[in-house]
Amino acid sequence: MTTIGRGLASAPKTLVWGFVIGVLVSLDVVNVSYIGYHFKLSILLFFLLGMLVLLKNFVIKLPRYFFLVAVFLVLSLTSSILAKELLRGTLYVVYTFIVLYLSVVVVYTLSKENPKKFFQGYIYSLVAQIFIAVLLVLLGIHDRAQFLYYEPSYFALALTPLFAFLSLNAIDVKMLKPSTFVYLLSVFLFFFFSKSANGLLILFLSFFVVSFLTFFSSGLKRKRNVFLSITAMTFLAFFIAAPALVYLRGYGGDDLLLSSLQKLIFSSDKLGFLVERAGNRLNRILLAMDVFKDNAFVGVGPGNYINYIKNIDHNLYGVPAWLNPYGLPAINMYIEVAAATGVFGLFAFLLILVSVIFGSVSGLRFSAQYLVLFASIVVFLVAINFESSYLRLYFWAWVGMLFSMKREVFQNRLTPRSMKERVELG
């Protein structure tokens, strides 16, 4: 906390904004109710910030991204009209516009003056949230570390940039730096007090993606560091962590994370255990796939999925309560979009993601922060197959930061290609 405190005390404006945005996108459980609908406070605050940004800048220079989001919004609204859910659908389209476009614009605008400082402030906010979450557990307010999120697994997903940052430091052998030690301690505390098995999976995904991107985008020396880091992590996992679990298993601990790891290691049917550990997630995905098949072209309307499945009969409703998908979101982001907006809406949404990913690959080798954010986006797009939804504000905040870093990277590379990118990004 001392490192964070010192950093903020002498912080430039962009670092402070990074910290504020990091907290703002985390307001997962704070809702405002109006005319029977619930709106996240963070969305409303981003709307107000977005209006200020639009009034100040008049024109937001993200034309290609704006065009793709506009196509997705039009298809979403069309789906709402055809599904005869006009009010709900229209509100959801406005909600989607704020999350997919306005939040990106806000973060892009606030961070473009000094993207690296903004990113640093954002990381500070994640660390501060972990320490506050731990304090809430120690005070008995929460059972597990979750702070402003509905559950620890959502918190873990939001911490992906911190996991990716530590992974890159491990590869570059910078783990002994005092500031890095604070980050490492915060991650250890998160797992100790959250007991999040999903978080452990996201941590492993982060390390794997960062390793791959570093290997892909670096010279021979860093490629060697990647190979040595993967070797060291494998050694720690299989020759130290596994024996430790064997030892602890004899004491019959009931720690959620520990017991999950033990069962996975010692289970004779590891795939069956993973399916069981996933709870009702698989059934929620299967149900959403059936809804999509029945509404392939039009969809059931954005924001209408839960209402729709309450009014149909399905054989999955007869399973035990802990496996029953009734009245629950689809959980898989891609299938959720497909079920809500149909095949054309899914295609438009995938175009947005493809544009973000493939339009940003060329900047990987020029900035460590850029690589960390790019890796975080990739990890989210993998993890979202079994967690959360496509309206998570923190994901689109990462996209906004990536755009501003991309702008900085290409401003410093005066080549014909970089000049073209500069024109596109403004």
Side-chain angles (χ1 to χ4, degrees):
M1 289 295 289
T2 304
T3 304
I4 297 173
R6 282 204 307 268
L8 289 174
S10 57
K13 181 173 63 174
T14 48
L15 188 145
V16 175
W17 270 120
F19 188 93
V20 170
I21 293 297
V23 174
L24 183 57
V25 299
S26 305
L27 298 176
D28 205 30
V29 297
V30 186
N31 295 313
V32 177
S33 297
Y34 181 69
I35 61 172
Y37 295 95
H38 299 285
F39 303 92
K40 291 186 183 298
L41 178 61
S42 54
I43 302 294
L44 298 178
L45 293 176
F46 256 112
F47 175 76
L48 295 176
L49 277 174
M51 291 300 99
L52 291 175
V53 168
L54 288 173
L55 288 173
K56 183 178 179 181
N57 292 273
F58 298 105
V59 178
I60 301 302
K61 301 174 183 178
L62 293 175
R64 181 174 60 187
Y65 181 76
F66 173 76
F67 173 76
L68 293 174
V69 171
V71 170
F72 178 64
L73 292 174
V74 169
L75 290 171
S76 297
L77 186 59
T78 302
S79 176
S80 298
I81 294 171
L82 295 177
K84 299 180 180 178
E85 286 287 340
L86 184 57
L87 177 59
R88 180 187 299 275
T90 302
L91 290 173
Y92 209 81
V93 167
V94 172
Y95 197 90
T96 304
F97 170 74
I98 296 171
V99 175
L100 266 67
Y101 183 71
L102 210 53
S103 63
V104 173
V105 166
V106 167
V107 174
Y108 170 78
T109 304
L110 294 176
S111 62
K112 67 181 181 180
E113 182 179 331
N114 193 337
K116 293 180 180 178
K117 283 293 181 184
F118 189 95
F119 172 79
Q120 185 180 4
Y122 190 89
I123 293 293
Y124 282 172
S125 76
L126 297 180
V127 175
Q129 288 177 50
I130 291 175
F131 284 121
I132 294 172
V134 169
L135 179 61
L136 294 176
V137 174
L138 293 175
L139 293 174
I141 298 174
H142 288 157
D143 294 329
R144 298 163 62 194
Q146 61 189 76
F147 192 31
L148 296 170
Y149 300 87
Y150 285 104
E151 56 182 68
S153 60
Y154 292 161
F155 195 4
L157 196 56
L159 292 175
T160 303
L162 182 57
F163 296 157
F165 173 80
L166 282 177
S167 299
L168 186 62
N169 279 353
I171 291 168
D172 289 340
V173 197
K174 296 179 180 178
M175 299 303 287
L176 297 180
K177 290 175 58 178
S179 58
T180 305
F181 176 76
V182 175
Y183 304 139
L184 182 63
L185 174 63
S186 67
V187 170
F188 172 79
L189 290 174
F190 168 76
F191 282 105
F192 187 84
F193 285 95
S194 71
K195 304 174 178 61
S196 174
N198 287 345
L200 195 61
L201 176 61
I202 294 167
L203 176 62
F204 287 154
L205 274 174
S206 300
F207 179 75
F208 174 80
V209 172
V210 168
S211 298
F212 174 80
L213 293 177
T214 305
F215 190 88
F216 167 77
S217 63
S218 61
L220 183 62
K221 183 178 179 181
R222 288 190 83 197
K223 282 181 168 59
R224 184 183 61 190
N225 287 347
V226 172
F227 178 78
L228 292 175
S229 297
I230 293 175
T231 303
M233 293 298 176
T234 303
F235 176 83
L236 287 172
F238 288 96
F239 295 99
I240 296 179
L245 287 173
V246 172
Y247 174 78
L248 292 171
R249 182 171 180 262
Y251 289 89
D254 59 356
D255 181 281
L256 179 62
L257 177 58
L258 178 60
S259 62
S260 296
L261 289 172
Q262 290 169 351
K263 290 176 182 177
L264 178 62
I265 291 173
F266 296 107
S267 174
S268 58
D269 182 10
K270 291 181 171 53
L271 180 59
F273 167 74
L274 289 174
V275 172
E276 179 185 350
R277 177 65 179 81
N280 61 18
R281 286 183 173 88
L282 179 60
N283 286 344
R284 289 161 73 174
I285 291 173
L286 293 174
L287 176 59
M289 289 178 66
D290 286 342
V291 171
F292 168 60
K293 290 175 185 177
D294 293 338
N295 304 272
F297 292 103
V298 179
V300 299
N304 192 47
Y305 175 79
I306 293 179
N307 282 345
Y308 180 86
I309 62 175
K310 288 180 179 179
N311 297 305
I312 62 173
D313 293 322
H314 199 284
N315 56 7
L316 287 174
Y317 295 161
V319 301
W322 64 282
L323 293 174
N324 197 316
Y326 178 77
L328 296 171
I331 206 71
N332 180 294
M333 178 177 72
Y334 308 105
I335 300 174
E336 176 188 345
V337 174
T341 63
V343 65
F344 298 111
L346 175 63
F347 181 73
F349 182 73
L350 291 178
L351 276 181
I352 296 172
L353 300 180
V354 168
S355 173
V356 170
I357 294 296
F358 287 95
S360 305
V361 170
S362 55
L364 283 174
R365 67 179 68 241
F366 300 103
S367 168
Q369 293 90 343
Y370 189 101
L371 189 146
V372 166
L373 278 172
F374 187 92
S376 300
I377 290 171
V378 172
V379 169
F380 183 92
L381 295 181
V382 175
I384 211 67
N385 279 285
F386 53 84
E387 200 66 80
S388 198
S389 77
Y390 69 94
L391 294 181
R392 291 288 162 186
L393 262 177
Y394 43 79
F395 172 74
W396 300 102
W398 305 341
V399 172
M401 277 190 278
L402 187 71
F403 281 172
S404 66
M405 284 190 181
K406 180 180 177 182
R407 176 179 179 272
E408 182 184 61
V409 164
F410 285 102
Q411 277 184 331
N412 295 329
R413 291 179 60 230
L414 299 180
T415 64
R417 182 177 180 179
S418 70
M419 291 299 294
K420 180 182 177 182
E421 295 285 350
R422 284 181 63 183
V423 171
E424 284 187 330
L425 289 174

